Each structure stands twice: as structure tokens, then as C-alpha cells.
Amino acid sequence: MAEKALVTGFEDVRVIADFIGNTWLLWILLGVGGYLYWRGRNSQYFNYVFNRYVLALITLLIVSGIVFSLMEVLPGDCAEKYIAYKNTQGETITQADIDAERARMGLDQPLAVRWASWVTDLTLKGDLGFSCAKRQSVNLALGERFWMSFMFCIAGLVFAYIIAVPFGILSAFTINKDWKDTNPQHTKAERFVNTLGLSFNKLLDLQLRIISYLGLALPNFLLALSIILLYVFAGEPTPTGLFSDEWKSVPWFGDNGFEFGKLQDFLGHIWLPIFVIGWSATALQLQTVRALVVDESNKLYVDAARARGVDGMALWAGYPVRHSISPLFNSVGFDFQRIFNDLPIVAVVIGLTDAAALLIEALAQTNDQELAAGILFLVALVVISMNFMTDAVLAAIDPRVRKSVLGS
Amino acid sequence: MAIGSMLARFGRKKNVTADDAYYTAGQMALIKARFKRKTSGMVAAWILGALVFMGFFAGFFAPVDPTIAGADKDYRRGAPQAVYFWDQNGFSFRPFTYTYAKEKAKIDLKALAGGGLDALDALTSSGALSSSSQNKFTVDEDKRRYLQFFVKGWEYSLIDLSVGDLDLDIRWDRHLFGVEHGQVHLMGTDEDGKDVFSRTLHAVWITISIAIVALVVKLFTSLLVGGVSGYFGGKVDTVMMSITEAVRVIPPIPIYLACAVALAQIDLTSVQRYFAIAVVIGMLDFATLGRRLRTHILTERNQDYVLAAQLCGSGTWRIIWRHLVPSFGSYIIVDTLINFPYVILAETSLSFLGLGLTEPVNSLGVLLQKAQDPDIQQNMIWQFFPVAVFVALIMAFVFVGDALRDAADPYAEKK
């Protein structure tokens, strides 16, 4: 008797744990919202962040609606796929079977009802639906592939920012400056040294601009193709995929502990997608940083600072650069979106097996609606939460932003 | 007397100094003047103009019909034919190429006739049956083929102005250059014997025309969304902007993909299909421009001239279209030009994945798709010619757009 009570008590705990485990999304959403609402009662900052949060939730809801109705235009539905799958097993199927299957899956319901149930399933259970072509749940089919794509995008983003921000600032520095120092107050030697420095800067700027124009003109997939082509000409094995064949089946932790050979092989392959993805983002960011810093450097407060005697690095770092960082920081979410946008095509060329490749497969080959909707929704979720977080951080740093609640 | 006053006016006009011209010039004249000062922009503009011109009159500039009808059956997978002025046989004022003859494949069929399977194995594994070794050509350097200019060839449509029943299709059969016998392939041929050079020229215009259609559609959707949202403000603005924000958040290429797959279900001709794709790309690209327009109109709608127009009894649409949108005109024009390469890239990406335009059509995306083929990478590298043209085209657009953006910025003058 006592033993049974113990077991049922254990069961209860497990049921509760499962319930919480399945509904994590709901609790996170409610928790963050509740906390912000509670803090927002008498704080302008948290009020602003709470408003942003509500806006983000509304956007997310609209995104799910758009994604879901967009997937409706894809031909073929889940019942047909299931029936076709059964067909290959040697069963003969009639139209009545398809209709019955459709009724069982709830596909005969109107779009709005299905959308509502999709959204409730997602928020209450964290369940992204069922992938018809893969014959398993979307969560399982995506699994770590989504995290892989996510890491690709983040790595590409970091790559782009590390290159674009300092060089963009340097490039902006050279604008409105002659390549030759003709200041009569300088001595001849000073003029010579300054001229050398300025012309070096101008040359660097020119190179950077050519690179960034090339980055805009050479789309990602062409860049990937050209790199692969170089390998073909050199007669080397092309670094496509994530691992070479010999390491593909080796587990990370083998008999001799951690396999460093596999890590080395992985690093030998991973640079290609990150470089290719980061490349065009870098080009775009270079242009943006340059334009932002140039815009800021023409403003009156920079002249005022200059008149006070601030000069050189102190002037640039303290005034125009500092003020042009915030719009740049604000665009991180959309940079992520842009990079993910390019990822599917790159994945096709390089032969990756991440979520982006799965998305292409789901959209173009198997017409797997729920899988595609799930991936698109997750990407939108990442972009929206990034936008929300950058807004929150920005408002904490820069009080001017807080006034523009609800964009009015 | 009339002549006198005319002369007086004429004389006065002549006295306008360069300074006055500068201060009385309109926005467009200023942009033009500033643009002309930028060397890189001007060079890019000329290159762009040349490419677009050659693309538009592709029928005239192309020496060979780019369709399957013009495919050269005797020169499949053929390498580019070089054009010479002189060789060991002497100098010629007229450029010429040589005669190319297909090599007879040397397959030893006698060994096969014995019925030995080993011989068959050896034959298949030797690569003698592969298409690249089947299509080898010998150059006959003694038989010159001189280039001729303004030759008669296949008939093409120079400009098609037909609207409805009105038949204004101007056709012509003269081409800029060609050879006496057979065809000339400056950039080689593909697997079907279609001339790569001619295909590329035709592809340039098709790709640009898609971009134009897409940008016009985009312009109208952005104007509609931005104009309405900005002018009415309040709740309309909130609803429309949250929808815009949602569209902006989803990555566009997958959406294009889904629409392209849906379009593939409808039975469309290739021309209708490409217009449909252009419309889809344009429709879904309204977010950025729409938002900027809305912000502009939100600030402008409280200006005095709008109030004046309202007091004069102008309707809402008239105020938006005649007063508010034109005040944003130069930005819209520049933004449209800057967006050209991105729209072209969207189309190319779609076609590259095999979901935009497909094979018989000559679009740059279709031609770029071939670059993915390992066979072409190794044996027919000349099929990368469209890639070079594509990069040149996009570069030219980017440079022109950049110079134009600098020129349109009223604060760009040096202090």
C-alpha cells in the first residue's frame, strides 16, 4: 500500500514536470511579461520595455498568421502525403480514404481554426506540429539542425561585425580629406609624413570599397561556387559538407577520449559557410557604418567639440562613432534575418544539412507545410526577440529612445 | 516690336551667370550636375548603358539565334572561337576565325564484336563514351572564315510595340556580325549547341525587364501602404505598421520560394510565369520603402501647405499623390535605382534553385544555374561567361546607385 502511494506520488511529480517541460514557452512568455508589467508600474524604462514586449508578441502572432496562411498556397496536404506513403506500402487507396484521413487530421476545418489550434499547441505545448514528409514531429525533425543554423548565422554575424565596424569607421575617416597634406603651417617633413599616411588611408579606403562593392555584386552562392572551383582547379578535395568522409561516422567522444582529429576536420570545413555567409553581410555593414559615421561627423556637436580642442582619436571615438553605434546595434535582428535568408542557397551549394537546407527541401521538393512553417516561425521568433532585446539594451543606454514608445 | 522684345528676352537670358543657374536650378538638374562630377559613377553609367542597350537590342548584336532552333548541331560543347587578324598565313584587315571540324570518335568496335565483356568494361571505364571526349574539335587553320558585318540571318523582333490588336512588331533580319559559312561562337556553345554569347545577351534584357516590373509593383505597394498609413495615422497606422513589421521579419527568399512552388501548379506559359514571379517579388518587398514613406508623410502632413490644400477642398488622394508623395520624389527614384541589383539577385537566386525561370528561357539566373554543374566546372569553363556578365551588370548598378545617392543628398556639398 505504502509502496503504491510512493509510486503514484512519483507519478504526480513526473506529470507536473512533464507539464512544465512541455509548456516552457508559455511560462517564459508569461514570466517575462509579468515581470516587465510589475516593474513597469512606476518606471519609465520598464514601461517602455513592456510596451515593446507587447508589440513583439503582437508581431509574433501576425507572423504566425502570415506564415501559416502562406503555407496554404503550397500544393498537397498532409492527408495526401500520408496516403501516398501508405500507397508505397502496397495498400490500395480510394478517395474516401483520403477524405477520412483528412477528417481525422482535422484538415477539413477552416484555415482560422487550424491556425488557432497550431498557435495554442505551440504556446501550450511548445509543439510545432507534425512533418508530413518526414513522418515525425517537427520538433524532432528539426532538433539540433536549427541550433546549427543558428550558430552559423551568429558566427557569420560576428565575422561581419568584426571586419565591418573598424574598417567602416576607418573608411569614413578618410572622406572629405585630401590624399595630400597642403597645410602651410606644417613643416616640409610633417607634410611629407602626413601625405604618406593620408594616401595610405585613401588607398585602403579604395580597396575596402571595391571589396564591399564586390560583396554586393557577387551573391553568396557565386562566391561559394568560385571557392569550390578554385579547389577543383587546384586538384584538392573540395571542403563541402561539414565533415570529410573519413570523419563523418566517427563520434565526438571515442575510445581515446575527445577526438581532436574530428574537431580539426570540422574547423577545416566550417570556415567556408561562415566566410561565404559573412561576406555579403560584411559588405553591407561596411557601407552602413561608413554612411552612419559620415552623417554624424558632419553634425554641429562634432564641430563644437573640435572647437573645444578635442582632436584625433578622442574626437572620433567620443563623438561621431559613439552616436552612430546605436542604429547599427539596432539592426542586429535584421542582419540575422538577412543572413538566414541567404543561408538556404549557400546550404544547397556547399551541401550543408542544417535547418536552412531542410527549409529548401520542405518548400521546393516535398511541400512539407508544417515543417516549413515551423522553421520560418522560429527564424521570425529569433529576429523578433533580438529586436526586442536590442531595443531594451539601447533604451537602457540611451534615454532618448525611451520617449518614442509605440513609434509616435 | 515683337522681335525687339524677343531679342531683349534672348539677350537677358544670355546674361544668366553660372551662379544664377545654380541657384535657380531644379532638384533634378542639381542631382544631374553632381552626378556628372563623380567619375566612377559616370564610367559605371556608360558600362551599364552599353550592357542594357546590347541586351535590349540583343537580336541585333547576337550572331546566333539563342533558341533551340539556332543550336549548332555540329558544334556541341564547343570551346570559344577566337577571332584573329593575322596568323602564319599572313595579315588580314578583316577579322576571321578558323573552320572547326568534329573529330571522329575512335572507338574500337572490333574488340566488342568478339563479344568480350572485358573489352566493353575497358571501353566504358576509359571515358571514351563521355560527352566531353565525344565532342572534340580540330582546327583547320587553312580554312579561314571571315567575319562579316550587317549580315542577313534569322529574323527577330527589334521592338515589339503591339498593344492589343495593334500590330506594331518591328522585325528585322540583319545582325551586327556573322561569318560566311556556318556560325561563329565567341563564347563557345553549351550541351545543345546553343551559343553562350547570344544567350547571355538575351538573358540580360529578360533579367532587367523582370527587375523593372518587380520595382514598379514594389513602388505601388509601398506608396499605397506608406501613403495611407502615414496620412491617416492613429489606428490605421498601428495596424498597417504591425503587419509591415511582421512581413519585414520573415526572410523573403523562402516566401518567394513558396509562391514560386504555388505558381508552378498553375498552368502558365513561360512569359506569364516570369511576370508572375516579378509581381510576387515586387509585392512582398514593400516593407522598407513603405516605412520610410510613412515616416516622411507623418512629419509632412502637419505642414502648412497640406493645410492650405485641405482648405482649398482637395481630397485625401489628391493630397497624398499630388503634394505628399512628390515631396519625397527624389528619394523614391534613388531608392528604386539602388534596389535594382537586389531585385535582380532575388530573381537569380530563385532561378538558381530551379524555381524561378527554367531552361528554355534565357535569364541570367538560368544561365548561372549551370555553374553548379561539376561537368561544366571541369570541361566547359566558358559557360561561366554569363557569371562575368552578371557580376559586371550588378557592379555597374551598384556604382551608379551609389553615385546617385551621393548626388541626391542635398547636404553632400563640401563645406
PDB file of all heavy atoms in Angstrom, chain B residues 75-98:
ATOM      1  N   TYR B  75      28.472  21.657 -83.484  1.00  0.00           N
ATOM      2  CA  TYR B  75      29.437  22.270 -82.584  1.00  0.00           C
ATOM      3  C   TYR B  75      28.888  22.259 -81.164  1.00  0.00           C
ATOM      4  O   TYR B  75      28.778  23.304 -80.523  1.00  0.00           O
ATOM      5  CB  TYR B  75      29.758  23.691 -83.057  1.00  0.00           C
ATOM      6  CG  TYR B  75      31.058  24.211 -82.508  1.00  0.00           C
ATOM      7  CD1 TYR B  75      32.266  23.642 -82.884  1.00  0.00           C
ATOM      8  CD2 TYR B  75      31.083  25.270 -81.600  1.00  0.00           C
ATOM      9  CE1 TYR B  75      33.456  24.104 -82.374  1.00  0.00           C
ATOM     10  CE2 TYR B  75      32.279  25.736 -81.096  1.00  0.00           C
ATOM     11  CZ  TYR B  75      33.456  25.149 -81.489  1.00  0.00           C
ATOM     12  OH  TYR B  75      34.638  25.604 -80.974  1.00  0.00           O
ATOM     13  N   ARG B  76      28.498  21.077 -80.699  1.00  0.00           N
ATOM     14  CA  ARG B  76      28.006  20.968 -79.325  1.00  0.00           C
ATOM     15  C   ARG B  76      29.179  20.996 -78.375  1.00  0.00           C
ATOM     16  O   ARG B  76      30.243  20.460 -78.677  1.00  0.00           O
ATOM     17  CB  ARG B  76      27.258  19.656 -79.143  1.00  0.00           C
ATOM     18  CG  ARG B  76      25.896  19.715 -79.739  1.00  0.00           C
ATOM     19  CD  ARG B  76      25.055  18.560 -79.240  1.00  0.00           C
ATOM     20  NE  ARG B  76      23.811  18.556 -79.985  1.00  0.00           N
ATOM     21  CZ  ARG B  76      23.373  17.516 -80.677  1.00  0.00           C
ATOM     22  NH1 ARG B  76      24.065  16.415 -80.688  1.00  0.00           N
ATOM     23  NH2 ARG B  76      22.240  17.592 -81.318  1.00  0.00           N
ATOM     24  N   ARG B  77      28.968  21.575 -77.203  1.00  0.00           N
ATOM     25  CA  ARG B  77      30.014  21.646 -76.156  1.00  0.00           C
ATOM     26  C   ARG B  77      31.315  22.180 -76.723  1.00  0.00           C
ATOM     27  O   ARG B  77      32.398  21.761 -76.331  1.00  0.00           O
ATOM     28  CB  ARG B  77      30.236  20.260 -75.539  1.00  0.00           C
ATOM     29  CG  ARG B  77      28.994  19.661 -74.938  1.00  0.00           C
ATOM     30  CD  ARG B  77      29.203  18.201 -74.611  1.00  0.00           C
ATOM     31  NE  ARG B  77      30.178  18.053 -73.571  1.00  0.00           N
ATOM     32  CZ  ARG B  77      29.877  17.892 -72.295  1.00  0.00           C
ATOM     33  NH1 ARG B  77      28.631  17.837 -71.917  1.00  0.00           N
ATOM     34  NH2 ARG B  77      30.809  17.762 -71.402  1.00  0.00           N
ATOM     35  N   GLY B  78      31.193  23.103 -77.681  1.00  0.00           N
ATOM     36  CA  GLY B  78      32.386  23.613 -78.344  1.00  0.00           C
ATOM     37  C   GLY B  78      33.009  24.766 -77.573  1.00  0.00           C
ATOM     38  O   GLY B  78      32.327  25.550 -76.920  1.00  0.00           O
ATOM     39  N   ALA B  79      34.319  24.872 -77.653  1.00  0.00           N
ATOM     40  CA  ALA B  79      35.046  25.925 -76.958  1.00  0.00           C
ATOM     41  C   ALA B  79      34.855  27.252 -77.694  1.00  0.00           C
ATOM     42  O   ALA B  79      34.460  27.264 -78.860  1.00  0.00           O
ATOM     43  CB  ALA B  79      36.520  25.563 -76.892  1.00  0.00           C
ATOM     44  N   PRO B  80      35.149  28.383 -77.039  1.00  0.00           N
ATOM     45  CA  PRO B  80      35.059  29.681 -77.710  1.00  0.00           C
ATOM     46  C   PRO B  80      35.963  29.719 -78.932  1.00  0.00           C
ATOM     47  O   PRO B  80      37.060  29.156 -78.919  1.00  0.00           O
ATOM     48  CB  PRO B  80      35.550  30.657 -76.643  1.00  0.00           C
ATOM     49  CG  PRO B  80      35.318  29.987 -75.359  1.00  0.00           C
ATOM     50  CD  PRO B  80      35.458  28.531 -75.609  1.00  0.00           C
ATOM     51  N   GLN B  81      35.475  30.378 -79.971  1.00  0.00           N
ATOM     52  CA  GLN B  81      36.278  30.509 -81.187  1.00  0.00           C
ATOM     53  C   GLN B  81      36.947  31.871 -81.172  1.00  0.00           C
ATOM     54  O   GLN B  81      36.285  32.891 -81.139  1.00  0.00           O
ATOM     55  CB  GLN B  81      35.385  30.371 -82.417  1.00  0.00           C
ATOM     56  CG  GLN B  81      34.703  29.005 -82.459  1.00  0.00           C
ATOM     57  CD  GLN B  81      33.715  28.894 -83.584  1.00  0.00           C
ATOM     58  OE1 GLN B  81      33.299  29.882 -84.165  1.00  0.00           O
ATOM     59  NE2 GLN B  81      33.320  27.669 -83.874  1.00  0.00           N
ATOM     60  N   ALA B  82      38.261  31.845 -81.206  1.00  0.00           N
ATOM     61  CA  ALA B  82      38.998  33.097 -81.136  1.00  0.00           C
ATOM     62  C   ALA B  82      38.910  33.823 -82.470  1.00  0.00           C
ATOM     63  O   ALA B  82      38.776  33.193 -83.517  1.00  0.00           O
ATOM     64  CB  ALA B  82      40.449  32.822 -80.790  1.00  0.00           C
ATOM     65  N   VAL B  83      38.981  35.164 -82.419  1.00  0.00           N
ATOM     66  CA  VAL B  83      38.948  35.967 -83.631  1.00  0.00           C
ATOM     67  C   VAL B  83      40.348  36.524 -83.855  1.00  0.00           C
ATOM     68  O   VAL B  83      40.950  37.080 -82.951  1.00  0.00           O
ATOM     69  CB  VAL B  83      37.931  37.113 -83.481  1.00  0.00           C
ATOM     70  CG1 VAL B  83      37.973  38.022 -84.691  1.00  0.00           C
ATOM     71  CG2 VAL B  83      36.544  36.545 -83.291  1.00  0.00           C
ATOM     72  N   TYR B  84      40.896  36.330 -85.066  1.00  0.00           N
ATOM     73  CA  TYR B  84      42.268  36.749 -85.343  1.00  0.00           C
ATOM     74  C   TYR B  84      42.287  37.819 -86.419  1.00  0.00           C
ATOM     75  O   TYR B  84      41.359  37.945 -87.219  1.00  0.00           O
ATOM     76  CB  TYR B  84      43.104  35.570 -85.859  1.00  0.00           C
ATOM     77  CG  TYR B  84      43.169  34.411 -84.905  1.00  0.00           C
ATOM     78  CD1 TYR B  84      42.280  33.349 -85.045  1.00  0.00           C
ATOM     79  CD2 TYR B  84      44.121  34.361 -83.908  1.00  0.00           C
ATOM     80  CE1 TYR B  84      42.331  32.275 -84.181  1.00  0.00           C
ATOM     81  CE2 TYR B  84      44.182  33.291 -83.045  1.00  0.00           C
ATOM     82  CZ  TYR B  84      43.298  32.248 -83.181  1.00  0.00           C
ATOM     83  OH  TYR B  84      43.346  31.193 -82.334  1.00  0.00           O
ATOM     84  N   PHE B  85      43.386  38.576 -86.418  1.00  0.00           N
ATOM     85  CA  PHE B  85      43.653  39.461 -87.540  1.00  0.00           C
ATOM     86  C   PHE B  85      44.803  38.928 -88.383  1.00  0.00           C
ATOM     87  O   PHE B  85      44.898  39.211 -89.545  1.00  0.00           O
ATOM     88  CB  PHE B  85      43.970  40.879 -87.049  1.00  0.00           C
ATOM     89  CG  PHE B  85      42.742  41.659 -86.692  1.00  0.00           C
ATOM     90  CD1 PHE B  85      42.310  41.728 -85.382  1.00  0.00           C
ATOM     91  CD2 PHE B  85      41.997  42.297 -87.668  1.00  0.00           C
ATOM     92  CE1 PHE B  85      41.172  42.438 -85.061  1.00  0.00           C
ATOM     93  CE2 PHE B  85      40.859  43.001 -87.347  1.00  0.00           C
ATOM     94  CZ  PHE B  85      40.441  43.071 -86.036  1.00  0.00           C
ATOM     95  N   TRP B  86      45.724  38.228 -87.743  1.00  0.00           N
ATOM     96  CA  TRP B  86      46.834  37.679 -88.541  1.00  0.00           C
ATOM     97  C   TRP B  86      47.276  36.357 -87.950  1.00  0.00           C
ATOM     98  O   TRP B  86      47.100  36.086 -86.771  1.00  0.00           O
ATOM     99  CB  TRP B  86      47.980  38.664 -88.630  1.00  0.00           C
ATOM    100  CG  TRP B  86      48.600  39.036 -87.299  1.00  0.00           C
ATOM    101  CD1 TRP B  86      48.168  39.969 -86.441  1.00  0.00           C
ATOM    102  CD2 TRP B  86      49.741  38.437 -86.707  1.00  0.00           C
ATOM    103  NE1 TRP B  86      48.945  40.021 -85.341  1.00  0.00           N
ATOM    104  CE2 TRP B  86      49.944  39.089 -85.472  1.00  0.00           C
ATOM    105  CE3 TRP B  86      50.640  37.434 -87.106  1.00  0.00           C
ATOM    106  CZ2 TRP B  86      50.981  38.757 -84.619  1.00  0.00           C
ATOM    107  CZ3 TRP B  86      51.686  37.118 -86.240  1.00  0.00           C
ATOM    108  CH2 TRP B  86      51.845  37.773 -85.011  1.00  0.00           C
ATOM    109  N   ASP B  87      47.858  35.522 -88.816  1.00  0.00           N
ATOM    110  CA  ASP B  87      48.436  34.266 -88.364  1.00  0.00           C
ATOM    111  C   ASP B  87      49.627  33.958 -89.265  1.00  0.00           C
ATOM    112  O   ASP B  87      50.095  34.833 -90.008  1.00  0.00           O
ATOM    113  CB  ASP B  87      47.404  33.140 -88.370  1.00  0.00           C
ATOM    114  CG  ASP B  87      46.822  32.913 -89.740  1.00  0.00           C
ATOM    115  OD1 ASP B  87      47.263  33.595 -90.692  1.00  0.00           O
ATOM    116  OD2 ASP B  87      45.927  32.066 -89.880  1.00  0.00           O
ATOM    117  N   GLN B  88      50.111  32.730 -89.269  1.00  0.00           N
ATOM    118  CA  GLN B  88      51.316  32.445 -90.066  1.00  0.00           C
ATOM    119  C   GLN B  88      51.059  32.574 -91.557  1.00  0.00           C
ATOM    120  O   GLN B  88      51.990  32.722 -92.348  1.00  0.00           O
ATOM    121  CB  GLN B  88      51.875  31.056 -89.732  1.00  0.00           C
ATOM    122  CG  GLN B  88      51.028  29.896 -90.192  1.00  0.00           C
ATOM    123  CD  GLN B  88      49.978  29.495 -89.153  1.00  0.00           C
ATOM    124  OE1 GLN B  88      49.535  30.328 -88.369  1.00  0.00           O
ATOM    125  NE2 GLN B  88      49.579  28.243 -89.159  1.00  0.00           N
ATOM    126  N   ASN B  89      49.787  32.565 -91.962  1.00  0.00           N
ATOM    127  CA  ASN B  89      49.491  32.684 -93.385  1.00  0.00           C
ATOM    128  C   ASN B  89      49.399  34.135 -93.847  1.00  0.00           C
ATOM    129  O   ASN B  89      49.104  34.396 -94.994  1.00  0.00           O
ATOM    130  CB  ASN B  89      48.171  31.989 -93.708  1.00  0.00           C
ATOM    131  CG  ASN B  89      48.267  30.502 -93.467  1.00  0.00           C
ATOM    132  OD1 ASN B  89      49.358  29.946 -93.497  1.00  0.00           O
ATOM    133  ND2 ASN B  89      47.150  29.868 -93.205  1.00  0.00           N
ATOM    134  N   GLY B  90      49.574  35.072 -92.913  1.00  0.00           N
ATOM    135  CA  GLY B  90      49.552  36.464 -93.327  1.00  0.00           C
ATOM    136  C   GLY B  90      48.536  37.288 -92.563  1.00  0.00           C
ATOM    137  O   GLY B  90      47.809  36.790 -91.708  1.00  0.00           O
ATOM    138  N   PHE B  91      48.482  38.586 -92.906  1.00  0.00           N
ATOM    139  CA  PHE B  91      47.655  39.543 -92.202  1.00  0.00           C
ATOM    140  C   PHE B  91      46.376  39.791 -92.994  1.00  0.00           C
ATOM    141  O   PHE B  91      46.354  39.743 -94.211  1.00  0.00           O
ATOM    142  CB  PHE B  91      48.444  40.851 -92.044  1.00  0.00           C
ATOM    143  CG  PHE B  91      47.655  41.938 -91.378  1.00  0.00           C
ATOM    144  CD1 PHE B  91      47.514  41.962 -89.997  1.00  0.00           C
ATOM    145  CD2 PHE B  91      47.046  42.919 -92.133  1.00  0.00           C
ATOM    146  CE1 PHE B  91      46.792  42.956 -89.393  1.00  0.00           C
ATOM    147  CE2 PHE B  91      46.315  43.915 -91.524  1.00  0.00           C
ATOM    148  CZ  PHE B  91      46.189  43.932 -90.148  1.00  0.00           C
ATOM    149  N   SER B  92      45.303  40.036 -92.285  1.00  0.00           N
ATOM    150  CA  SER B  92      44.055  40.343 -92.957  1.00  0.00           C
ATOM    151  C   SER B  92      43.384  41.507 -92.244  1.00  0.00           C
ATOM    152  O   SER B  92      43.399  41.572 -91.006  1.00  0.00           O
ATOM    153  CB  SER B  92      43.141  39.122 -92.936  1.00  0.00           C
ATOM    154  OG  SER B  92      41.801  39.533 -92.957  1.00  0.00           O
ATOM    155  N   PHE B  93      42.864  42.450 -93.029  1.00  0.00           N
ATOM    156  CA  PHE B  93      42.165  43.561 -92.412  1.00  0.00           C
ATOM    157  C   PHE B  93      40.852  43.106 -91.795  1.00  0.00           C
ATOM    158  O   PHE B  93      40.371  43.703 -90.856  1.00  0.00           O
ATOM    159  CB  PHE B  93      41.908  44.681 -93.431  1.00  0.00           C
ATOM    160  CG  PHE B  93      43.087  45.573 -93.591  1.00  0.00           C
ATOM    161  CD1 PHE B  93      43.835  45.581 -94.752  1.00  0.00           C
ATOM    162  CD2 PHE B  93      43.458  46.413 -92.542  1.00  0.00           C
ATOM    163  CE1 PHE B  93      44.922  46.413 -94.888  1.00  0.00           C
ATOM    164  CE2 PHE B  93      44.555  47.245 -92.663  1.00  0.00           C
ATOM    165  CZ  PHE B  93      45.289  47.243 -93.830  1.00  0.00           C
ATOM    166  N   ARG B  94      40.306  42.083 -92.370  1.00  0.00           N
ATOM    167  CA  ARG B  94      39.028  41.604 -91.828  1.00  0.00           C
ATOM    168  C   ARG B  94      39.304  40.516 -90.800  1.00  0.00           C
ATOM    169  O   ARG B  94      40.079  39.594 -91.073  1.00  0.00           O
ATOM    170  CB  ARG B  94      38.166  41.031 -92.954  1.00  0.00           C
ATOM    171  CG  ARG B  94      37.518  42.139 -93.752  1.00  0.00           C
ATOM    172  CD  ARG B  94      36.797  41.571 -94.922  1.00  0.00           C
ATOM    173  NE  ARG B  94      35.608  40.849 -94.517  1.00  0.00           N
ATOM    174  CZ  ARG B  94      34.865  40.157 -95.368  1.00  0.00           C
ATOM    175  NH1 ARG B  94      35.212  40.085 -96.625  1.00  0.00           N
ATOM    176  NH2 ARG B  94      33.788  39.547 -94.963  1.00  0.00           N
ATOM    177  N   PRO B  95      38.716  40.632 -89.636  1.00  0.00           N
ATOM    178  CA  PRO B  95      38.919  39.580 -88.639  1.00  0.00           C
ATOM    179  C   PRO B  95      38.348  38.256 -89.126  1.00  0.00           C
ATOM    180  O   PRO B  95      37.407  38.225 -89.921  1.00  0.00           O
ATOM    181  CB  PRO B  95      38.141  40.096 -87.418  1.00  0.00           C
ATOM    182  CG  PRO B  95      37.199  41.108 -87.952  1.00  0.00           C
ATOM    183  CD  PRO B  95      37.824  41.698 -89.169  1.00  0.00           C
ATOM    184  N   PHE B  96      38.981  37.178 -88.703  1.00  0.00           N
ATOM    185  CA  PHE B  96      38.495  35.878 -89.164  1.00  0.00           C
ATOM    186  C   PHE B  96      38.623  34.846 -88.061  1.00  0.00           C
ATOM    187  O   PHE B  96      39.366  35.028 -87.083  1.00  0.00           O
ATOM    188  CB  PHE B  96      39.289  35.426 -90.393  1.00  0.00           C
ATOM    189  CG  PHE B  96      40.765  35.292 -90.138  1.00  0.00           C
ATOM    190  CD1 PHE B  96      41.298  34.094 -89.659  1.00  0.00           C
ATOM    191  CD2 PHE B  96      41.617  36.360 -90.378  1.00  0.00           C
ATOM    192  CE1 PHE B  96      42.643  33.986 -89.415  1.00  0.00           C
ATOM    193  CE2 PHE B  96      42.967  36.241 -90.123  1.00  0.00           C
ATOM    194  CZ  PHE B  96      43.490  35.061 -89.651  1.00  0.00           C
ATOM    195  N   THR B  97      37.884  33.771 -88.211  1.00  0.00           N
ATOM    196  CA  THR B  97      38.062  32.603 -87.342  1.00  0.00           C
ATOM    197  C   THR B  97      38.417  31.433 -88.250  1.00  0.00           C
ATOM    198  O   THR B  97      38.428  31.563 -89.471  1.00  0.00           O
ATOM    199  CB  THR B  97      36.777  32.257 -86.573  1.00  0.00           C
ATOM    200  OG1 THR B  97      35.807  31.820 -87.510  1.00  0.00           O
ATOM    201  CG2 THR B  97      36.254  33.432 -85.809  1.00  0.00           C
ATOM    202  N   TYR B  98      38.672  30.286 -87.639  1.00  0.00           N
ATOM    203  CA  TYR B  98      39.005  29.115 -88.440  1.00  0.00           C
ATOM    204  C   TYR B  98      37.799  28.203 -88.561  1.00  0.00           C
ATOM    205  O   TYR B  98      36.790  28.373 -87.886  1.00  0.00           O
ATOM    206  CB  TYR B  98      40.160  28.342 -87.804  1.00  0.00           C
ATOM    207  CG  TYR B  98      41.433  29.127 -87.748  1.00  0.00           C
ATOM    208  CD1 TYR B  98      42.073  29.348 -86.542  1.00  0.00           C
ATOM    209  CD2 TYR B  98      41.981  29.638 -88.908  1.00  0.00           C
ATOM    210  CE1 TYR B  98      43.244  30.075 -86.487  1.00  0.00           C
ATOM    211  CE2 TYR B  98      43.157  30.369 -88.856  1.00  0.00           C
ATOM    212  CZ  TYR B  98      43.783  30.584 -87.646  1.00  0.00           C
ATOM    213  OH  TYR B  98      44.928  31.294 -87.618  1.00  0.00           O
TER     214      TYR B  98
END
